[in-house]
């Protein structure tokens, strides 16, 4: 599939469906919608803003009929190029489908459109004493539709799970324009195949989600935040295994390596230990009556070889300062290396020390600065290669280094992505993780949902030979 000019009749039909003022065709207006946070870019030939399920349905049917590539887009915060329109065509912007349709505290349910922000969902749920567990770093801006497309989770997934565990059902439009509903309104249900979990994480390649039924969780009464510093990354990795092996599951368990600590020292709102090779940010939540015992249990598990210090936040201000330090990390790295390579790999928690040790060795071997942080409680580590794209020799080394990083992850029984998705960035490596028979079954599912391959073409799977 290659980009071809849109038929004027198709453009006129799009204007008829969405409204003339909801369709952009001037290249200058369309240009921003060719980006996501991967910094990759391709120019769409039209951008259409949908505001209703029926408009999405009619736009998909029109593109299916004329075989026009169609890429659904939320807020563009993804980092893998999954919303970059590789073959031009139409970008379907869902940011204006941002209504909260139902808030049902009695059944712990909320029904929303895909363009609503994660933060808006949290604010609405909190008014009734609930929250929706997925909380990516970009929660203030990213859309729920994007969270579902990537199965993006954030720190709380260690205790509360990902969008797949916190979404009951979906309304969607397949690539052929068929309207479907998946899942249930109840917390249990096993009638038929679980298409809800199939669509979540599919990056808009199977269907376009127009409505989601979210499962809410009661807000905890209180929290305790701990910061533990270690002499090296291996001591911290061993502590993670101990913490996850005891009875109290933390609601967040974040990992930052020594190089990252030094990089964010100037941005930190709380004091950072000097000479530390790694740091854990730990949060425990629960009832007032049990929180001290829970925090003590986790703190005891954090004790061990290599521990330099462990401190507990006193009050909301200190807690906010500790977490602000963690959230400053990604922006700080973007400032230092605007075009860094950011990978989010996952290994079993018990093998994190091997992963970190292997990454240290690769950094030395290829003379590449590697900074590691992430959701340690899940073994989900963000591996950042700080490279300069204008240096061809460094980029060549980085390419070989990344190849070896993926080999290391798979050798440790890991997976190539935990929450960023595949998009373009990891597409060509997928066949290393998924065997040919399984990959062909996935392609067959894609053909069933999207027979003319118009939905987000060129993403997720390597090209067929």
């Amino acid at each position: 599939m290659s980009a071809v000019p849109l038929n004027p009749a198709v453009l006129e039909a799009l204007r008829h469906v969405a409204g003339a003022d909801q369709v952009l065709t001037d290249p200058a207006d369309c240009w921003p919608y060719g980006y996501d946070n991967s910094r990759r870019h391709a120019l769409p030939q039209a951008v259409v803003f949908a505001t209703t399920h029926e408009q999405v349905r009619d736009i998909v049917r029109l593109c299916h009929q004329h075989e026009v590539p169609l890429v659904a887009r939320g807020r563009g915060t993804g980092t893998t190029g999954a919303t970059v329109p590789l073959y031009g065509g139409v970008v379907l912007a869902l940011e204006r489908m941002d209504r909260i349709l139902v808030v049902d505290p009695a059944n712990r349910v909320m029904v929303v459109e895909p363009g609503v922000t994660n933060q808006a969902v949290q604010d609405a749920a909190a008014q009734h004493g609930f929250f929706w567990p997925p909380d990516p770093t970009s929660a203030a801006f990213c859309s729920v539709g994007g969270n579902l497309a990537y199965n993006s989770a954030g720190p709380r997934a260690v205790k509360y799970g990902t969008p797949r565990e916190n979404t009951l059902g979906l309304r969607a439009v397949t690539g052929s324009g068929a309207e479907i509903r998946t899942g249930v309104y109840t917390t249990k249900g096993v009638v038929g195949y679980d298409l809800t979990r199939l669509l979540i994480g599919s990056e808009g390649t199977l269907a376009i989600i127009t409505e989601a039924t979210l499962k809410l969780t009661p807000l905890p009464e209180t929290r305790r935040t701990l910061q533990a510093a270690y002499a090296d990354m291996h001591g911290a990795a061993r502590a993670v295994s101990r913490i996850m092996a005891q009875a109290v599951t933390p609601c967040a368990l974040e990992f930052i390596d020594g190089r990252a600590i030094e990089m964010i020292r100037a941005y930190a709102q709380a004091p950072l230990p000097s000479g530390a090779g790694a740091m854990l940010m730990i949060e425990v939540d629960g009832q007032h009556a049990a929180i001290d015992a829970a925090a003590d249990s986790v703190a005891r598990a954090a004790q061990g070889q290599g521990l330099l210090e462990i401190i507990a936040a006193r009050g909301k201000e200190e807690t906010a300062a500790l977490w602000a330090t963690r959230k400053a990390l990604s922006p700080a790295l973007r400032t230092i290396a605007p075009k860094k390579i950011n990978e989010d790999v996952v290994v079993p928690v018990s093998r994190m020390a091997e992963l970190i040790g292997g990454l240290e060795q690769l950094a030395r071997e290829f003379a590449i600065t590697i900074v590691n942080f992430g959701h340690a409680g899940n073994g989900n580590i963000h591996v950042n290669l700080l490279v300069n794209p204008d240096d061809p020799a460094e980029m060549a080394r980085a390419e070989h280094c990344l190849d070896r990083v993926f080999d290391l992850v798979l050798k440790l029984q890991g997976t190539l992505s935990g929450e960023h998705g595949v998009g373009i960035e990891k597409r060509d490596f997928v066949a290393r993780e998924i065997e040919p028979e399984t990959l062909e079954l996935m392609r067959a599912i894609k053909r069933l949902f999207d027979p003319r391959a118009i939905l987000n073409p060129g993403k997720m799977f390597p090209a067929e030979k």
Side-chain angles (χ1 to χ4, degrees), residues 1 94 320 396:
M1 186 182 294
L94 301 172

Side-chain angles (χ1 to χ4, degrees), residues 220-232:
E221 291 181 1
T222 189
R223 293 187 177 90
R224 291 284 189 277
T225 301
L226 308 172
Q227 177 182 285
Y230 296 84
D232 55 45

Side-chain angles (χ1 to χ4, degrees), residues 4 9 62 64 66 91 126 250 366 416 422:
V4 296
L62 185 63
H64 171 75
H66 294 276
V91 166
F366 291 98
L416 302 182
V422 173

